[in-house]
Amino acid sequence: MRTDGIITGGIKKRRIQPVHPVFLSMFQEIYNQHLKLIEHVKNPFGALFLNRYGEAMTSQDYENKFTRLVKLLIERLLNNGDFLSLSEANLLMSGRMNTHVLRHFFTQFISELEQTRSPVEIAYWRGDSSLETAIIYLSHHPLIDDKISFIQKKVYEDLSR
């Protein structure tokens, strides 16, 4: 969707994406602040992330900026020197932190809410065109192990009586 024809990312498509009610007020406030920052920039397609030339970022531009932010965060955590900061820095240095982390956080967060427990609802809020992706995220949810363990323990206790 850049005016110069450069591809910004292969998986994006034009659509109206609803914002989950839990995030709506926070998102609206941040979005309004962002619009003020870019109000004087010619932005014919309404891109959310712009490069230094005022054009929609490519996925590579976005990834590079994200990587620089993670490196800065690691440096700050290491400089704190406390155990929690060092363990968080270690997690970030594991290389598993990428631009999809917020999407993963969002999915995990809304999947724990009472009103969004089904893959259909999660796919809707994520903007997925298929249920497969939502199911993959749900199957890797850390609470699943806890729930399975709880059920196994309960069954064992019932059988032990």
Side-chain angles (χ1 to χ4, degrees):
M1 295 199 286
R2 283 176 52 149
T3 54
D4 57 6
I6 294 176
I7 296 172
T8 58
I11 62 169
K12 305 300 176 217
K13 61 184 173 199
R14 270 197 175 291
R15 68 172 181 268
I16 295 173
Q17 180 60 49
V19 176
H20 195 283
V22 170
F23 295 100
L24 193 55
S25 62
M26 177 180 57
F27 180 82
Q28 188 64 55
E29 182 181 329
I30 292 169
Y31 182 66
N32 289 340
Q33 290 173 8
H34 179 70
L35 289 179
K36 281 184 182 180
L37 285 173
I38 63 171
E39 68 185 350
H40 301 295
V41 176
K42 185 180 176 187
N43 186 7
F45 296 108
L48 195 55
F49 300 111
L50 304 173
N51 64 19
R52 72 181 113 191
Y53 307 110
E55 302 166 324
M57 281 186 175
T58 64
S59 54
Q60 189 61 52
D61 287 338
Y62 181 78
E63 189 172 326
N64 290 342
K65 288 211 179 285
F66 183 87
T67 301
R68 283 194 301 244
L69 280 172
V70 170
K71 286 180 181 178
L72 180 63
L73 180 58
I74 290 170
E75 287 175 26
R76 289 188 178 181
L77 288 169
L78 290 173
N79 288 335
N80 282 347
D82 63 273
F83 179 75
L84 182 60
S85 295
L86 293 174
S87 63
E88 294 293 333
N90 192 38
L91 178 65
L92 290 172
M93 289 187 295
S94 72
R96 296 184 334 195
M97 185 66 63
N98 61 35
T99 57
H100 245 63
V101 71
L102 294 176
R103 189 166 170 80
H104 184 72
F105 163 80
F106 173 78
T107 305
Q108 299 298 316
F109 184 85
I110 66 167
S111 69
E112 292 180 29
L113 301 172
E114 288 297 322
Q115 66 268 30
T116 49
R117 293 275 171 113
S118 81
V120 172
E121 291 166 309
I122 290 174
Y124 171 78
W125 290 115
R126 286 170 38 90
D128 295 332
S129 54
S130 112
L131 292 180
E132 289 178 39
T133 308
I135 291 170
I136 289 169
Y137 271 97
L138 285 173
S139 68
H140 290 65
H141 194 292
L143 288 180
I144 288 177
D145 292 337
D146 293 341
K147 289 176 184 177
I148 290 171
S149 180
F150 174 79
I151 291 169
Q152 287 174 334
K153 185 176 179 183
K154 182 111 175 90
V155 168
Y156 177 75
E157 288 171 358
D158 288 348
L159 291 174
S160 300
R161 292 183 193 175

